[in-house]
Amino acid sequence: MEKIVSLPKAKGLWAPKFLRRGNAQLWIGMFIVGVIVLLAVFAPLLTPYSATQQDLAEALDGIGTPGHLLGTDQLGRDTWARLLYGGRTDLSVTLISVVIPLMIGTILGALCGYFGGWFDILIMRLADIVTAFPFYVLVIALVFAIGTGTTSIYIAISVVSWVAYARIVRGETMVLRRKEFIDACETSGLMRLQIISRHIVPNTVSQAIVYAMSDIVMNVNVIVTLSFFGLGIVPPTPDWGQMMSD
């Protein structure tokens, strides 16, 4: 018998597994976001200066000034310190601004999808009214009417953003409502609210959480935009929008 000789496979340039799978953009994005979060969390360890302390004698120092890596602003405040603490402020406000509408939308969506009827019609028509207005215009109008500050931002974003979560969870709930194990729960005598809390929400909230990841980016833009126009974070609290405006 002739011996079968297998030819060696051609070797190309080496690359990590995640690059070969085409996930390079995902990992690069995660790395950038991770660095920003770490800088915000460990801000007190990365700068000896306060983000709000003023020193007019050192106002408008240029980049690379000894002791001030990125210089100072018009009030003598260290720009690097304000950049770090501003990230901490914006990220914390953004996180809360996502969690509140996520919870509201998930609860309303689960109730609408499970019960239906007049409650579903009422909530969905209210959602249609909210989505009829441009997102930025409605948020700015609400903040202008309520007043500046973090509380106004939470209220304005929650009033507008719950709609997307409610619709996502409602659609998933309507599909899950027809499953056999839900019928089994009902016939076994389990209360409807228990079915929603134990079986509906845990099996539908994952889609809402996925959407929340992209909603975080939108909320950062909203918060920075509001602060840029003087409607967001109240000075002297550091904020990226205020820094760009200054």
Side-chain angles (χ1 to χ4, degrees), residues 8-231:
K9 296 181 179 180
K11 295 183 178 181
L13 296 176
W14 179 87
K17 183 180 294 185
F18 68 85
L19 288 176
R20 295 199 298 270
R21 291 180 178 178
N23 293 331
Q25 294 180 349
L26 171 65
W27 286 96
I28 293 173
M30 291 178 62
F31 174 77
I32 295 173
V33 173
V35 170
I36 295 174
V37 172
L38 290 176
L39 290 175
V41 171
F42 295 102
L45 303 178
L46 298 175
T47 177
Y49 297 101
S50 169
T52 58
Q53 184 177 0
Q54 302 179 13
D55 187 358
L56 297 179
E58 297 184 356
L60 298 178
D61 286 342
I63 297 177
T65 301
H68 299 286
L69 179 64
L70 297 180
T72 59
D73 63 5
Q74 72 277 12
L75 298 177
R77 297 172 296 192
D78 185 73
T79 304
W80 172 245
R82 291 186 61 79
L83 185 65
L84 294 176
Y85 283 97
R88 171 180 286 194
T89 301
D90 289 336
L91 292 177
S92 61
V93 174
T94 297
L95 182 61
I96 298 175
S97 300
V98 169
V99 172
I100 295 176
L102 171 62
M103 295 175 60
I104 296 174
T106 299
I107 294 173
L108 292 177
L111 294 175
C112 289
Y114 186 83
F115 291 108
W118 65 268
F119 182 78
D120 180 33
I121 295 175
L122 177 63
I123 298 300
M124 288 300 101
R125 297 297 78 77
L126 180 60
D128 292 338
I129 294 174
V130 173
T131 54
F133 297 91
F135 181 84
Y136 274 95
V137 173
L138 187 55
V139 170
I140 292 175
L142 288 172
V143 172
F144 183 80
I146 300 172
T148 59
T150 55
T151 303
S152 300
I153 294 175
Y154 299 149
I155 295 174
I157 294 179
S158 299
V159 167
V160 181
S161 297
W162 68 270
V163 173
Y165 298 102
R167 285 178 169 171
I168 292 173
V169 176
R170 174 180 177 269
E172 294 292 324
T173 302
M174 293 178 67
V175 174
L176 197 64
R177 180 71 176 80
R178 304 185 182 95
K179 300 295 182 179
E180 293 181 355
F181 76 93
I182 298 296
D183 294 334
C185 292
E186 293 177 346
T187 55
S188 64
L190 198 64
M191 296 179 62
R192 291 184 174 183
L193 292 181
Q194 290 179 325
I195 295 175
I196 293 174
S197 61
R198 295 181 183 180
H199 301 286
I200 298 295
V201 172
N203 287 286
T204 57
V205 73
S206 59
Q207 296 295 327
I209 293 175
V210 171
Y211 178 80
M213 297 299 102
S214 61
D215 200 27
I216 290 176
V217 179
M218 173 66 74
N219 285 352
V220 170
N221 292 333
V222 171
I223 294 169
V224 172
T225 302
L226 290 174
S227 298
F228 182 82
F229 290 111
L231 299 173

